[in-house]
Amino acid sequence: MQLRQGLARLMQKKRIKEITVKELVDEVDINRSTFYLHYTDIYQMLEKIEEEAMVDIREAMEGCPHGLYRTGKKSFPSLPDFFSILDSNRDLSLALLGPNGDMDFVERIETLIASKFLKPSSLPATDTEIRYAYAFCLSGCIGMIKTWLSRTEHESPEAMAELTYHLIDNTTQEYIQNYIW
């Protein structure tokens, strides 16, 4: 845990390729041999952290029925759980999604968000303009997550889930009303 927190702090200041094992172990006040008991290098550590984060997020998104987020007649699966995971790992999430994070990880998060939250069944799959609407919503979601993670005073995961739901729903409904029908 100390290593992960130390890596998160360092990644908020510099890119992963600029971080050395020595710098990390000095940051958390452990010796190098302890680091090498768990990881071969910084990149392997980052890869394991990202993979564990993706597993947690996937499990939350595929979770049980109590994980459904409902507003009126519509629902988005596990949206509050998604924000809760990010919130409970705030420093690490901000480091991974931030400017010094791994772009492959950001793309994997984008793909998950798109596959789980941006699949309005009422939109025709053949509409070529829908790609723009999806890209707009997806970029907005990632930007909103980064802003939320970086704020010291922040809204609850439930409030963010509701806001995200309404923003996506309003965007897609506006698109349907003005461009499809």
mmCIF file of all heavy atoms in Angstrom, residues 31-62:
data_model
loop_
_atom_site.group_PDB
_atom_site.id
_atom_site.type_symbol
_atom_site.label_atom_id
_atom_site.label_comp_id
_atom_site.label_asym_id
_atom_site.label_seq_id
_atom_site.Cartn_x
_atom_site.Cartn_y
_atom_site.Cartn_z
ATOM 1 N N ASN A 31 13.322 -0.051 1.973
ATOM 2 C CA ASN A 31 14.535 -0.330 1.204
ATOM 3 C C ASN A 31 14.203 -1.003 -0.119
ATOM 4 O O ASN A 31 13.110 -1.527 -0.306
ATOM 5 C CB ASN A 31 15.557 -1.122 2.034
ATOM 6 C CG ASN A 31 15.035 -2.467 2.455
ATOM 7 O OD1 ASN A 31 14.395 -3.154 1.669
ATOM 8 N ND2 ASN A 31 15.315 -2.855 3.682
ATOM 9 N N ARG A 32 15.151 -0.974 -1.008
ATOM 10 C CA ARG A 32 14.948 -1.481 -2.368
ATOM 11 C C ARG A 32 14.582 -2.952 -2.384
ATOM 12 O O ARG A 32 13.810 -3.389 -3.231
ATOM 13 C CB ARG A 32 16.213 -1.259 -3.207
ATOM 14 C CG ARG A 32 16.455 0.178 -3.518
ATOM 15 C CD ARG A 32 17.746 0.336 -4.266
ATOM 16 N NE ARG A 32 17.438 1.101 -5.449
ATOM 17 C CZ ARG A 32 18.181 1.134 -6.521
ATOM 18 N NH1 ARG A 32 19.294 0.455 -6.587
ATOM 19 N NH2 ARG A 32 17.840 1.874 -7.540
ATOM 20 N N SER A 33 15.174 -3.728 -1.479
ATOM 21 C CA SER A 33 14.907 -5.171 -1.488
ATOM 22 C C SER A 33 13.426 -5.455 -1.244
ATOM 23 O O SER A 33 12.873 -6.405 -1.794
ATOM 24 C CB SER A 33 15.785 -5.900 -0.471
ATOM 25 O OG SER A 33 15.540 -5.420 0.833
ATOM 26 N N THR A 34 12.766 -4.629 -0.449
ATOM 27 C CA THR A 34 11.326 -4.793 -0.228
ATOM 28 C C THR A 34 10.568 -4.564 -1.529
ATOM 29 O O THR A 34 9.644 -5.312 -1.858
ATOM 30 C CB THR A 34 10.838 -3.818 0.868
ATOM 31 O OG1 THR A 34 11.575 -4.051 2.056
ATOM 32 C CG2 THR A 34 9.355 -4.006 1.136
ATOM 33 N N PHE A 35 10.940 -3.546 -2.272
ATOM 34 C CA PHE A 35 10.314 -3.298 -3.568
ATOM 35 C C PHE A 35 10.499 -4.510 -4.476
ATOM 36 O O PHE A 35 9.537 -5.000 -5.077
ATOM 37 C CB PHE A 35 10.910 -2.052 -4.238
ATOM 38 C CG PHE A 35 10.388 -1.816 -5.623
ATOM 39 C CD1 PHE A 35 9.250 -1.077 -5.821
ATOM 40 C CD2 PHE A 35 11.029 -2.367 -6.734
ATOM 41 C CE1 PHE A 35 8.741 -0.872 -7.109
ATOM 42 C CE2 PHE A 35 10.534 -2.169 -8.020
ATOM 43 C CZ PHE A 35 9.389 -1.417 -8.201
ATOM 44 N N TYR A 36 11.742 -5.011 -4.566
ATOM 45 C CA TYR A 36 12.043 -6.103 -5.494
ATOM 46 C C TYR A 36 11.454 -7.439 -5.056
ATOM 47 O O TYR A 36 11.385 -8.366 -5.869
ATOM 48 C CB TYR A 36 13.550 -6.200 -5.730
ATOM 49 C CG TYR A 36 14.070 -5.057 -6.575
ATOM 50 C CD1 TYR A 36 14.977 -4.135 -6.057
ATOM 51 C CD2 TYR A 36 13.625 -4.885 -7.883
ATOM 52 C CE1 TYR A 36 15.445 -3.077 -6.836
ATOM 53 C CE2 TYR A 36 14.081 -3.827 -8.660
ATOM 54 C CZ TYR A 36 14.989 -2.932 -8.127
ATOM 55 O OH TYR A 36 15.427 -1.893 -8.904
ATOM 56 N N LEU A 37 10.996 -7.551 -3.825
ATOM 57 C CA LEU A 37 10.263 -8.747 -3.402
ATOM 58 C C LEU A 37 8.925 -8.840 -4.135
ATOM 59 O O LEU A 37 8.396 -9.925 -4.352
ATOM 60 C CB LEU A 37 9.992 -8.721 -1.906
ATOM 61 C CG LEU A 37 11.116 -9.139 -0.986
ATOM 62 C CD1 LEU A 37 10.717 -8.910 0.471
ATOM 63 C CD2 LEU A 37 11.489 -10.593 -1.211
ATOM 64 N N HIS A 38 8.380 -7.676 -4.490
ATOM 65 C CA HIS A 38 7.041 -7.619 -5.090
ATOM 66 C C HIS A 38 7.043 -7.330 -6.589
ATOM 67 O O HIS A 38 6.138 -7.782 -7.300
ATOM 68 C CB HIS A 38 6.202 -6.562 -4.374
ATOM 69 C CG HIS A 38 6.081 -6.788 -2.908
ATOM 70 N ND1 HIS A 38 5.250 -7.753 -2.373
ATOM 71 C CD2 HIS A 38 6.716 -6.208 -1.857
ATOM 72 C CE1 HIS A 38 5.359 -7.737 -1.060
ATOM 73 N NE2 HIS A 38 6.242 -6.815 -0.716
ATOM 74 N N TYR A 39 8.011 -6.564 -7.060
ATOM 75 C CA TYR A 39 8.013 -6.119 -8.457
ATOM 76 C C TYR A 39 9.417 -6.199 -9.041
ATOM 77 O O TYR A 39 10.399 -6.050 -8.322
ATOM 78 C CB TYR A 39 7.522 -4.664 -8.556
ATOM 79 C CG TYR A 39 6.211 -4.421 -7.858
ATOM 80 C CD1 TYR A 39 6.170 -3.771 -6.624
ATOM 81 C CD2 TYR A 39 5.013 -4.841 -8.416
ATOM 82 C CE1 TYR A 39 4.960 -3.555 -5.972
ATOM 83 C CE2 TYR A 39 3.802 -4.625 -7.779
ATOM 84 C CZ TYR A 39 3.784 -3.979 -6.552
ATOM 85 O OH TYR A 39 2.592 -3.767 -5.909
ATOM 86 N N THR A 40 9.484 -6.351 -10.365
ATOM 87 C CA THR A 40 10.789 -6.356 -11.026
ATOM 88 C C THR A 40 11.239 -4.942 -11.374
ATOM 89 O O THR A 40 12.432 -4.661 -11.409
ATOM 90 C CB THR A 40 10.763 -7.210 -12.310
ATOM 91 O OG1 THR A 40 9.744 -6.712 -13.178
ATOM 92 C CG2 THR A 40 10.512 -8.677 -11.993
ATOM 93 N N ASP A 41 10.263 -4.052 -11.633
ATOM 94 C CA ASP A 41 10.580 -2.661 -11.940
ATOM 95 C C ASP A 41 9.320 -1.803 -11.789
ATOM 96 O O ASP A 41 8.235 -2.317 -11.493
ATOM 97 C CB ASP A 41 11.180 -2.515 -13.346
ATOM 98 C CG ASP A 41 10.276 -3.034 -14.457
ATOM 99 O OD1 ASP A 41 9.040 -3.096 -14.278
ATOM 100 O OD2 ASP A 41 10.815 -3.374 -15.524
ATOM 101 N N ILE A 42 9.476 -0.521 -12.004
ATOM 102 C CA ILE A 42 8.365 0.434 -11.868
ATOM 103 C C ILE A 42 7.241 0.106 -12.853
ATOM 104 O O ILE A 42 6.059 0.196 -12.515
ATOM 105 C CB ILE A 42 8.865 1.886 -12.100
ATOM 106 C CG1 ILE A 42 9.820 2.316 -10.993
ATOM 107 C CG2 ILE A 42 7.711 2.859 -12.237
ATOM 108 C CD1 ILE A 42 9.176 2.632 -9.661
ATOM 109 N N TYR A 43 7.604 -0.296 -14.061
ATOM 110 C CA TYR A 43 6.595 -0.578 -15.088
ATOM 111 C C TYR A 43 5.734 -1.779 -14.720
ATOM 112 O O TYR A 43 4.527 -1.775 -14.951
ATOM 113 C CB TYR A 43 7.250 -0.774 -16.450
ATOM 114 C CG TYR A 43 7.976 0.460 -16.920
ATOM 115 C CD1 TYR A 43 9.363 0.545 -16.857
ATOM 116 C CD2 TYR A 43 7.269 1.557 -17.394
ATOM 117 C CE1 TYR A 43 10.025 1.694 -17.262
ATOM 118 C CE2 TYR A 43 7.926 2.714 -17.799
ATOM 119 C CZ TYR A 43 9.302 2.773 -17.731
ATOM 120 O OH TYR A 43 9.956 3.912 -18.123
ATOM 121 N N GLN A 44 6.360 -2.811 -14.155
ATOM 122 C CA GLN A 44 5.581 -3.976 -13.728
ATOM 123 C C GLN A 44 4.635 -3.587 -12.587
ATOM 124 O O GLN A 44 3.495 -4.021 -12.546
ATOM 125 C CB GLN A 44 6.484 -5.120 -13.287
ATOM 126 C CG GLN A 44 5.662 -6.356 -12.935
ATOM 127 C CD GLN A 44 6.397 -7.351 -12.069
ATOM 128 O OE1 GLN A 44 7.219 -6.971 -11.238
ATOM 129 N NE2 GLN A 44 6.087 -8.619 -12.275
ATOM 130 N N MET A 45 5.121 -2.754 -11.691
ATOM 131 C CA MET A 45 4.279 -2.282 -10.590
ATOM 132 C C MET A 45 3.066 -1.526 -11.126
ATOM 133 O O MET A 45 1.931 -1.780 -10.730
ATOM 134 C CB MET A 45 5.084 -1.391 -9.651
ATOM 135 C CG MET A 45 4.276 -0.862 -8.500
ATOM 136 S SD MET A 45 5.258 0.247 -7.477
ATOM 137 C CE MET A 45 4.008 0.777 -6.331
ATOM 138 N N LEU A 46 3.303 -0.600 -12.047
ATOM 139 C CA LEU A 46 2.213 0.166 -12.639
ATOM 140 C C LEU A 46 1.232 -0.759 -13.357
ATOM 141 O O LEU A 46 0.015 -0.600 -13.222
ATOM 142 C CB LEU A 46 2.765 1.219 -13.607
ATOM 143 C CG LEU A 46 1.726 2.094 -14.300
ATOM 144 C CD1 LEU A 46 0.928 2.910 -13.289
ATOM 145 C CD2 LEU A 46 2.393 3.000 -15.324
ATOM 146 N N GLU A 47 1.746 -1.719 -14.086
ATOM 147 C CA GLU A 47 0.886 -2.664 -14.806
ATOM 148 C C GLU A 47 -0.011 -3.438 -13.837
ATOM 149 O O GLU A 47 -1.214 -3.597 -14.082
ATOM 150 C CB GLU A 47 1.759 -3.634 -15.607
ATOM 151 C CG GLU A 47 0.980 -4.603 -16.459
ATOM 152 C CD GLU A 47 1.905 -5.531 -17.230
ATOM 153 O OE1 GLU A 47 2.946 -5.067 -17.743
ATOM 154 O OE2 GLU A 47 1.585 -6.735 -17.307
ATOM 155 N N LYS A 48 0.551 -3.899 -12.722
ATOM 156 C CA LYS A 48 -0.251 -4.634 -11.735
ATOM 157 C C LYS A 48 -1.298 -3.744 -11.091
ATOM 158 O O LYS A 48 -2.436 -4.160 -10.879
ATOM 159 C CB LYS A 48 0.653 -5.246 -10.669
ATOM 160 C CG LYS A 48 1.384 -6.476 -11.145
ATOM 161 C CD LYS A 48 2.141 -7.144 -10.013
ATOM 162 C CE LYS A 48 2.789 -8.415 -10.511
ATOM 163 N NZ LYS A 48 3.443 -9.159 -9.434
ATOM 164 N N ILE A 49 -0.926 -2.518 -10.772
ATOM 165 C CA ILE A 49 -1.871 -1.569 -10.182
ATOM 166 C C ILE A 49 -3.025 -1.308 -11.143
ATOM 167 O O ILE A 49 -4.198 -1.335 -10.760
ATOM 168 C CB ILE A 49 -1.156 -0.248 -9.820
ATOM 169 C CG1 ILE A 49 -0.225 -0.458 -8.630
ATOM 170 C CG2 ILE A 49 -2.160 0.864 -9.543
ATOM 171 C CD1 ILE A 49 0.696 0.720 -8.353
ATOM 172 N N GLU A 50 -2.707 -1.063 -12.404
ATOM 173 C CA GLU A 50 -3.742 -0.798 -13.404
ATOM 174 C C GLU A 50 -4.644 -2.003 -13.595
ATOM 175 O O GLU A 50 -5.866 -1.857 -13.710
ATOM 176 C CB GLU A 50 -3.104 -0.402 -14.730
ATOM 177 C CG GLU A 50 -2.480 0.972 -14.716
ATOM 178 C CD GLU A 50 -1.765 1.316 -16.004
ATOM 179 O OE1 GLU A 50 -1.582 0.421 -16.872
ATOM 180 O OE2 GLU A 50 -1.379 2.486 -16.168
ATOM 181 N N GLU A 51 -4.064 -3.191 -13.633
ATOM 182 C CA GLU A 51 -4.866 -4.391 -13.839
ATOM 183 C C GLU A 51 -5.816 -4.622 -12.666
ATOM 184 O O GLU A 51 -6.984 -4.966 -12.860
ATOM 185 C CB GLU A 51 -3.963 -5.609 -14.065
ATOM 186 C CG GLU A 51 -4.618 -6.725 -14.802
ATOM 187 C CD GLU A 51 -5.409 -6.289 -16.039
ATOM 188 O OE1 GLU A 51 -4.871 -5.586 -16.912
ATOM 189 O OE2 GLU A 51 -6.604 -6.656 -16.127
ATOM 190 N N GLU A 52 -5.329 -4.420 -11.451
ATOM 191 C CA GLU A 52 -6.191 -4.561 -10.273
ATOM 192 C C GLU A 52 -7.306 -3.527 -10.292
ATOM 193 O O GLU A 52 -8.452 -3.834 -9.945
ATOM 194 C CB GLU A 52 -5.368 -4.445 -8.992
ATOM 195 C CG GLU A 52 -4.481 -5.653 -8.748
ATOM 196 C CD GLU A 52 -3.520 -5.470 -7.574
ATOM 197 O OE1 GLU A 52 -3.641 -4.462 -6.835
ATOM 198 O OE2 GLU A 52 -2.648 -6.333 -7.402
ATOM 199 N N ALA A 53 -7.001 -2.310 -10.691
ATOM 200 C CA ALA A 53 -8.016 -1.264 -10.784
ATOM 201 C C ALA A 53 -9.071 -1.644 -11.819
ATOM 202 O O ALA A 53 -10.281 -1.487 -11.571
ATOM 203 C CB ALA A 53 -7.375 0.077 -11.136
ATOM 204 N N MET A 54 -8.634 -2.153 -12.962
ATOM 205 C CA MET A 54 -9.587 -2.550 -14.010
ATOM 206 C C MET A 54 -10.473 -3.696 -13.541
ATOM 207 O O MET A 54 -11.669 -3.714 -13.837
ATOM 208 C CB MET A 54 -8.848 -2.935 -15.292
ATOM 209 C CG MET A 54 -8.190 -1.769 -16.001
ATOM 210 S SD MET A 54 -9.329 -0.442 -16.451
ATOM 211 C CE MET A 54 -10.297 -1.237 -17.711
ATOM 212 N N VAL A 55 -9.920 -4.646 -12.814
ATOM 213 C CA VAL A 55 -10.713 -5.759 -12.286
ATOM 214 C C VAL A 55 -11.785 -5.225 -11.336
ATOM 215 O O VAL A 55 -12.957 -5.598 -11.440
ATOM 216 C CB VAL A 55 -9.810 -6.804 -11.587
ATOM 217 C CG1 VAL A 55 -10.629 -7.778 -10.747
ATOM 218 C CG2 VAL A 55 -8.983 -7.565 -12.615
ATOM 219 N N ASP A 56 -11.397 -4.332 -10.422
ATOM 220 C CA ASP A 56 -12.361 -3.749 -9.484
ATOM 221 C C ASP A 56 -13.467 -3.003 -10.214
ATOM 222 O O ASP A 56 -14.648 -3.143 -9.886
ATOM 223 C CB ASP A 56 -11.660 -2.788 -8.520
ATOM 224 C CG ASP A 56 -10.766 -3.494 -7.515
ATOM 225 O OD1 ASP A 56 -10.877 -4.731 -7.368
ATOM 226 O OD2 ASP A 56 -9.944 -2.802 -6.886
ATOM 227 N N ILE A 57 -13.089 -2.217 -11.199
ATOM 228 C CA ILE A 57 -14.077 -1.431 -11.939
ATOM 229 C C ILE A 57 -14.999 -2.342 -12.750
ATOM 230 O O ILE A 57 -16.218 -2.165 -12.743
ATOM 231 C CB ILE A 57 -13.379 -0.381 -12.830
ATOM 232 C CG1 ILE A 57 -12.720 0.678 -11.945
ATOM 233 C CG2 ILE A 57 -14.361 0.255 -13.806
ATOM 234 C CD1 ILE A 57 -11.776 1.610 -12.676
ATOM 235 N N ARG A 58 -14.425 -3.336 -13.430
ATOM 236 C CA ARG A 58 -15.256 -4.278 -14.192
ATOM 237 C C ARG A 58 -16.244 -4.999 -13.291
ATOM 238 O O ARG A 58 -17.413 -5.166 -13.636
ATOM 239 C CB ARG A 58 -14.377 -5.298 -14.914
ATOM 240 C CG ARG A 58 -13.922 -4.852 -16.257
ATOM 241 C CD ARG A 58 -13.305 -6.022 -17.040
ATOM 242 N NE ARG A 58 -12.256 -5.497 -17.856
ATOM 243 C CZ ARG A 58 -10.963 -5.618 -17.629
ATOM 244 N NH1 ARG A 58 -10.521 -6.305 -16.607
ATOM 245 N NH2 ARG A 58 -10.083 -5.075 -18.433
ATOM 246 N N GLU A 59 -15.762 -5.476 -12.133
ATOM 247 C CA GLU A 59 -16.643 -6.185 -11.204
ATOM 248 C C GLU A 59 -17.777 -5.289 -10.726
ATOM 249 O O GLU A 59 -18.920 -5.725 -10.622
ATOM 250 C CB GLU A 59 -15.843 -6.720 -10.017
ATOM 251 C CG GLU A 59 -15.010 -7.929 -10.363
ATOM 252 C CD GLU A 59 -14.133 -8.401 -9.207
ATOM 253 O OE1 GLU A 59 -14.159 -7.774 -8.110
ATOM 254 O OE2 GLU A 59 -13.420 -9.403 -9.397
ATOM 255 N N ALA A 60 -17.469 -4.048 -10.435
ATOM 256 C CA ALA A 60 -18.516 -3.118 -9.992
ATOM 257 C C ALA A 60 -19.524 -2.887 -11.101
ATOM 258 O O ALA A 60 -20.734 -2.852 -10.858
ATOM 259 C CB ALA A 60 -17.902 -1.796 -9.554
ATOM 260 N N MET A 61 -19.037 -2.743 -12.317
ATOM 261 C CA MET A 61 -19.934 -2.473 -13.443
ATOM 262 C C MET A 61 -20.784 -3.678 -13.809
ATOM 263 O O MET A 61 -21.890 -3.524 -14.309
ATOM 264 C CB MET A 61 -19.133 -2.016 -14.648
ATOM 265 C CG MET A 61 -18.518 -0.656 -14.470
ATOM 266 S SD MET A 61 -17.468 -0.307 -15.884
ATOM 267 C CE MET A 61 -17.695 1.429 -16.062
ATOM 268 N N GLU A 62 -20.262 -4.853 -13.590
ATOM 269 C CA GLU A 62 -21.009 -6.063 -13.916
ATOM 270 C C GLU A 62 -21.738 -6.602 -12.702
ATOM 271 O O GLU A 62 -22.335 -7.661 -12.769
ATOM 272 C CB GLU A 62 -20.045 -7.122 -14.469
ATOM 273 C CG GLU A 62 -19.423 -6.710 -15.785
ATOM 274 C CD GLU A 62 -18.262 -7.602 -16.191
ATOM 275 O OE1 GLU A 62 -17.934 -8.547 -15.455
ATOM 276 O OE2 GLU A 62 -17.682 -7.336 -17.253
#
